[in-house]
Amino acid sequence: METYATALLYAIPFFILLLIMEMAYGHFLKDQKYTVLDTVSSISSGLTNIIKDSLGIVLVLISYPFLLEHLAITSIEPTWLTWVIGFIAIDFAGYWNHRLSHKVNFFWNQHVIHHSSEKFNLACALRQSVSNVLGYFPFLLLPAAFLGVPNEVIAILAPIQLFAQFWYHTQHIGKMGWLEYIIVTPSQHRVHHAINPEYIDKNLGQVFCIWDRMFGTFQEELPDVPPQYGILKPARTWNPIRINFQHLWRLSLDAWRTKNLWDKIRIWFMPTGWRPSDVKDKYPTDVITDVYNFERYVTPTSKAFNAYLIFQLVISLLLLLFMFANFGNLEVNQLLWYGGLVFLGIYGYTSLMDGDTYAVWIEVFRGVLGCTIILSTGDWFGLNSYFTAGKTLILLYFLSTIIGSIYWHRQRV
């Protein structure tokens, strides 16, 4: 996990730089694809995901080293060809994992957050799940295990393959000629994120588009069908943690309410969107039927409130970067406390964005807890050894959070 944290320490600033460049480009063209609240929600979602991943909060059903040990029919040394085979194997597994997430009710819950934005931009790429706590991906790497691709190769290539999916979440790049036949491009991925009937559940590839062409899930972006973004059951919240578990909550309610025992069991494994017949009519859900004319989610805001949200987001990002930089020096319980506080903060200020009345209590509690840690330990998880005034600045931040949350709560009720 320390290696992954180090990778994030470098990757996050790079991603943020690309976001700023896309924003600046959109501003220059007078064709801005970003709004403050949606962007804060998207980046905050990415922060929750990397907290979960860096802390290793996952139940591994089976590991790749285990498969490699018991299934490899040959042993190969890491050469350039091994790395190529490993990357293709990961991308092939990624296609089927992605397809599974779109086609099965239970697995859609771990992917819905990625599609929940009604915008399409680089920030949208950061909407990643915290609900994918079952580590089953190695099952899909069986071909690599049979071939004996070393674990070290897979461990290095997996984050590279993940990071390579960032760049094509943009509307500012058109079709890319012959590359459209080899790799996933922005045009293809706009189709994937669209809720138009012509586009739904298409282009599931992650780096190579050949899998979609081979298995019948490819769809070209049509000039007369502009993509419309979001999910058919709108999230209606900026809070990424709530979005992560909305679908699971709906499934649980339907499983509880249906009187048919078989439906209680199979609902989890049925195609995405399937509901038992005896609850579908009695408990209808809000589903978009006209993708060109639906009410998009907005909440009241102002320039001052936007500035406060950006302040909270920037501090959360800086706190995480310090955690990754200091990862090897912190004990497990310290990392859990640290990550938990940042996680709680994201829940708090995104709930404030929604106008939830309880948001102020979450933020006040977090502020008091942060101040208590600093005053009782005289430090902020080792920050003093790098920067003597560090604890004072963090203390001031938590005090400003208490004051700011109370102020904005009163402004928005």
Side-chain angles (χ1 to χ4, degrees):
M1 289 304 167
E2 187 174 351
T3 303
Y4 182 64
T6 303
L8 289 172
L9 184 62
Y10 293 99
I12 291 173
F14 178 68
F15 289 160
I16 297 298
L17 176 61
L18 290 179
L19 289 184
I20 294 172
M21 290 173 62
E22 187 182 39
M23 290 179 196
Y25 183 71
H27 179 75
F28 176 76
L29 291 182
K30 294 182 171 54
D31 185 23
Q32 189 58 265
K33 304 301 182 183
Y34 287 83
T35 62
V36 172
L37 269 64
D38 182 79
T39 304
V40 169
S41 178
S42 293
I43 299 175
S44 298
S45 175
L47 298 185
T48 62
N49 171 261
I50 61 178
I51 290 171
K52 190 260 308 177
D53 285 352
S54 63
L55 297 181
I57 302 174
V58 61
L59 176 61
V60 179
L61 299 181
I62 194 168
S63 68
Y64 181 75
F66 177 86
L67 294 177
L68 187 65
E69 180 182 351
H70 292 87
L71 298 178
I73 58 177
T74 184
S75 177
I76 55 178
E77 294 298 320
T79 66
W80 68 268
L81 184 59
T82 310
W83 291 90
V84 171
I85 293 172
F87 192 87
I88 293 173
I90 290 172
D91 200 60
F92 180 73
Y95 169 83
W96 287 106
N97 181 59
H98 199 180
R99 187 164 179 170
L100 191 67
S101 296
H102 274 260
K103 296 297 184 181
V104 179
N105 249 340
F106 177 75
F107 294 110
W108 173 240
N109 187 76
Q110 70 180 11
H111 190 55
V112 64
I113 180 69
H114 185 62
H115 285 263
S116 59
S117 175
E118 293 170 354
K119 304 289 182 181
F120 185 75
N121 48 43
L122 289 177
C124 169
L126 300 178
R127 290 192 175 226
Q128 299 295 326
S129 179
V130 295
S131 61
N132 55 342
V133 293
L134 294 178
Y136 63 87
F137 188 75
F139 279 117
L140 302 173
L141 287 171
L142 285 173
F146 281 127
L147 292 173
V149 176
N151 178 57
E152 295 77 12
V153 172
I154 296 296
I156 292 173
L157 289 177
I160 293 175
Q161 193 265 356
L162 175 63
F163 295 158
Q165 300 170 45
F166 177 79
W167 73 277
Y168 50 59
H169 290 81
T170 182
Q171 297 184 59
H172 291 303
I173 299 176
K175 293 191 177 182
M176 301 181 69
W178 58 271
L179 285 174
E180 298 284 340
Y181 296 92
I182 303 172
I183 63 172
V184 176
T185 64
S187 175
Q188 293 174 24
H189 208 63
R190 288 193 289 270
V191 166
H192 175 68
H193 272 257
I195 55 176
N196 310 59
E198 298 89 343
Y199 296 154
I200 204 80
D201 293 339
K202 297 296 185 180
N203 297 356
L204 300 161
Q206 296 184 325
V207 173
F208 299 118
C209 66
I210 54 174
W211 315 123
D212 286 299
R213 296 179 184 275
M214 287 174 60
F215 300 114
T217 52
F218 182 80
Q219 173 60 55
E220 185 179 4
E221 185 177 19
L222 304 173
D224 57 340
V225 184
Q228 305 298 306
Y229 305 109
I231 48 180
L232 291 175
K233 294 179 182 177
R236 303 295 185 199
T237 176
W238 302 118
N239 188 321
I241 301 157
R242 287 174 58 189
I243 299 172
N244 265 279
F245 296 99
Q246 278 183 340
H247 183 66
L248 187 64
W249 176 246
R250 291 193 196 104
L251 290 180
S252 300
L253 286 178
D254 282 355
W256 173 261
R257 287 166 172 167
T258 183
K259 294 179 172 59
N260 187 305
L261 180 59
W262 175 230
D263 284 349
K264 289 179 182 292
I265 299 171
R266 67 172 176 158
I267 185 175
W268 307 97
F269 310 103
M270 292 296 285
T272 308
W274 182 90
R275 303 182 68 202
S277 57
D278 61 339
V279 299
K280 186 165 53 175
D281 295 329
K282 189 174 182 181
Y283 303 98
T285 55
D286 180 21
V287 179
I288 295 172
T289 55
D290 183 353
V291 300
Y292 297 103
N293 298 286
F294 67 94
E295 184 181 357
R296 301 181 190 275
Y297 186 64
V298 293
T299 53
T301 191
S302 64
K303 289 183 178 180
F305 185 55
N306 288 347
Y308 176 77
L309 295 174
I310 294 170
F311 165 73
Q312 285 290 349
L313 178 65
V314 169
I315 298 300
S316 297
L317 179 59
L318 292 175
L319 287 173
L320 274 187
L321 288 175
F322 174 69
M323 186 181 88
F324 296 143
N326 203 36
F327 202 90
N329 299 324
L330 297 177
E331 298 177 0
V332 173
N333 66 318
Q334 290 178 305
L335 288 169
L336 291 173
W337 271 103
Y338 196 122
L341 271 168
V342 179
F343 199 90
L344 184 63
I346 291 170
Y347 194 99
Y349 67 71
T350 55
S351 296
L352 199 62
M353 290 160 60
D354 284 330
D356 293 328
T357 55
Y358 60 79
V360 63
W361 300 110
I362 295 174
E363 286 292 79
V364 168
F365 172 75
R366 178 173 70 100
V368 170
L369 184 58
C371 291
T372 301
I373 290 173
I374 294 171
L375 294 175
S376 61
T377 64
D379 197 358
W380 175 256
F381 296 95
L383 182 59
N384 284 356
S385 60
Y386 298 91
F387 181 42
T388 54
K391 69 173 183 180
T392 303
L393 291 177
I394 301 297
L395 183 66
L396 290 174
Y397 162 68
F398 281 119
L399 291 173
S400 69
T401 291
I402 296 171
I403 297 169
S405 61
I406 294 173
Y407 173 79
W408 287 113
H409 170 72
R410 290 181 174 177
Q411 290 292 314
R412 295 171 66 81
V413 294

